[in-house]
Amino acid sequence: MIFERVTAGGCQSYLIGCDETSIGALIDPEIGHMDRYLALAARDGLRIRYLIDTHTHADHFSATHEMAKRLSVPVAMHRASPAPFVDMRLDDGEMLIVGRLRVEVMHTPGHTQDSMCLLVDGRVFTGDTLLIGATGRTDLPTGDADALHRSLFERVLRLDPQVIVHPAHEYKGRSHSTIGEEIANNPRLKAGTRAEFVEMMRNLNLSMPTHVTEALRTNMSGGKTVAQMLTDAAARVPFMSLDELRRQTDAGANELIVLDVRERDQYEQAHIPGARHLPRGQLELRVNDELPDPTLRILVCCEFGRVSTLAAATLREMGFQRAVALDGGVKAWREAGHPVARSSTGRPA
Ligand SMILES: [Fe+2]
């Protein structure tokens, strides 16, 4: 069996594969590491055939939907998953065939209603049902401490003690554990009765994961994260550095149009000398009047360099093939000590 563990900020993804047939599956991939998974698969001579999420993640951005589009392979999740892009809805006791490997599905609700553990060749991928020395939390949407207790004690912990545990999260750098080690050492499993376990889970008082709303929005809908929107836009536009812009503005008359897409009050307080003003929110509707010549060389700027990237990508989409974005924003321009102009008229300088 080919096995790769990819760790990213506490999140763990796994690439597994059959060395006889070169068929692989990717478990719990994260959106920021798509190229890494593909590179690992290529290095190992694997063709990824399934993209599997063990559950609806609230704390990382799943890559299954995006990778499914790129690879033309199905996304597999438990049938209780709310995500509309799931191609294969799995149920307890079913199997995915990955070459000579058999990926067995155990429905283990508790951390979420759609949580499942995957048993493969003496290993169990536990998602957030069982972690090393801990369990998944049960205070996020569809979490249920009572159900988690049943899943753990009536299913997962009854596996052979030798079975290797690969969780979806590990914050202390440990690579794996075993069912036997967890039964012996995991403090969460020592709570006694189910009622005591539920009481303990209720009183964990964990802070909310960062980006929980965005993670649930994107993982449940297949929509894009803000970072993805920016990455996609940045891949379609060239950038210009602050220093190069300074050189160009110092050189005086040149063909470059600096377009400031911030709100009016920000523009009026301080803008790059000579910059024209067209707020991002009105860009598409006013562009024909403000910028009638699509061959113009336009440098788009905003406060931090993010909105300008989106605006430059929009301009390129609209036919402004020489639109570029400032690498940085007016804030960085000010802080670098470059000159700024003010305007009280509200009219472009
Ligand atoms: Fe989770």
Side-chain angles (χ1 to χ4, degrees):
M1 173 176 172
I2 293 168
F3 173 86
E4 301 276 5
R5 184 171 62 96
V6 177
T7 300
C11 294
Q12 315 238 68
S13 311
Y14 301 94
L15 173 66
I16 59 171
C18 167
D19 40 19
E20 285 179 57
T21 61
S22 298
I23 294 173
L26 187 57
I27 301 170
D28 290 330
E30 202 266 340
I31 198 82
H33 297 276
M34 290 192 287
D35 289 328
R36 200 163 153 202
Y37 306 129
L38 296 174
L40 282 173
R43 189 186 72 182
D44 293 343
L46 281 180
R47 163 104 156 80
I48 296 170
R49 290 283 186 89
Y50 296 106
L51 299 157
I52 311 172
D53 268 322
T54 54
H55 63 286
T56 300
H57 297 279
D59 49 7
H60 84 194
F61 301 114
S62 171
T64 53
H65 186 222
E66 188 62 31
M67 290 188 76
K69 286 190 281 186
R70 292 192 192 181
L71 299 175
S72 299
V73 300
V75 174
M77 285 186 80
H78 185 262
R79 67 176 169 79
S81 163
F85 54 84
V86 176
D87 304 294
M88 295 180 75
R89 295 184 176 273
L90 305 171
D91 217 327
D92 187 64
E94 295 177 357
M95 276 191 314
L96 287 177
I97 293 182
V98 179
R100 305 252 181 260
L101 299 176
R102 298 289 183 268
V103 179
E104 295 176 48
V105 174
M106 291 170 69
H107 183 213
T108 51
H111 172 61
T112 61
Q113 168 61 29
D114 63 356
S115 284
M116 55 184 189
C117 292
L118 304 169
L119 253 175
V120 192
D121 199 18
R123 301 169 192 256
V124 62
F125 297 89
T126 53
D128 287 353
T129 299
L130 177 63
L131 309 179
I132 301 175
T135 66
R137 60 198 292 171
T138 53
D139 58 338
L140 295 174
T142 77
D144 179 340
D146 198 80
L148 180 62
H149 188 274
R150 287 174 201 274
S151 293
L152 285 168
F153 286 89
E154 294 173 19
R155 303 296 303 276
V156 182
L157 299 174
R158 290 190 183 174
L159 294 171
D160 188 304
Q162 304 294 316
V163 169
I164 298 168
V165 173
H166 295 296
H169 288 287
E170 166 53 32
Y171 301 98
K172 294 180 180 169
R174 296 165 292 194
S175 63
H176 63 279
S177 170
T178 64
I179 293 292
E181 285 166 21
E182 290 312 307
I183 291 171
N185 305 322
N186 189 326
R188 292 255 180 103
L189 306 179
K190 299 194 184 304
T193 65
R194 184 179 303 152
E196 286 166 330
F197 178 82
V198 170
E199 187 62 19
M200 174 193 67
M201 293 305 290
R202 283 210 180 111
N203 292 310
L204 288 177
N205 293 321
L206 301 167
S207 56
M208 276 291 127
T210 46
H211 309 300
V212 61
T213 313
E214 188 181 18
L216 288 173
R217 170 178 65 75
T218 57
N219 293 340
M220 290 168 72
S221 68
K224 290 189 175 180
T225 65
V226 175
Q228 255 181 299
M229 299 283 290
L230 288 168
T231 303
D232 290 356
R236 299 201 301 271
V237 299
F239 287 80
M240 185 181 288
S241 70
L242 296 172
D243 289 344
E244 176 60 19
L245 175 60
R246 177 67 191 268
R247 269 192 293 279
Q248 299 241 359
T249 53
D250 282 356
N254 63 54
E255 52 166 5
L256 185 69
I257 292 175
V258 179
L259 188 70
D260 190 323
V261 295
R262 294 174 301 161
E263 295 305 313
R264 168 146 291 173
D265 55 346
Q266 287 179 301
Y267 172 83
E268 288 178 351
Q269 276 171 26
H271 55 259
I272 295 165
R276 291 167 62 169
H277 181 230
L278 177 52
R280 170 72 181 95
Q282 297 174 29
L283 183 66
E284 290 90 340
L285 298 182
R286 281 177 49 194
V287 74
N288 293 331
D289 296 328
E290 301 286 338
L291 302 164
D293 180 358
T295 67
L296 294 173
R297 189 174 186 214
I298 301 167
L299 174 87
V300 189
C301 65
C302 67
E303 186 68 4
F304 299 108
R306 293 193 287 262
V307 173
S308 55
T309 304
L310 297 171
T314 301
L315 285 174
R316 288 207 158 230
E317 208 176 338
M318 297 182 84
F320 293 86
Q321 290 303 311
R322 297 178 72 201
V324 302
L326 186 61
D327 183 18
V330 177
K331 182 172 188 287
W333 173 270
R334 284 195 307 266
E335 288 171 358
H338 297 309
V340 291
R342 281 166 226 288
S343 155
S344 57
T345 62
R347 296 283 158 249

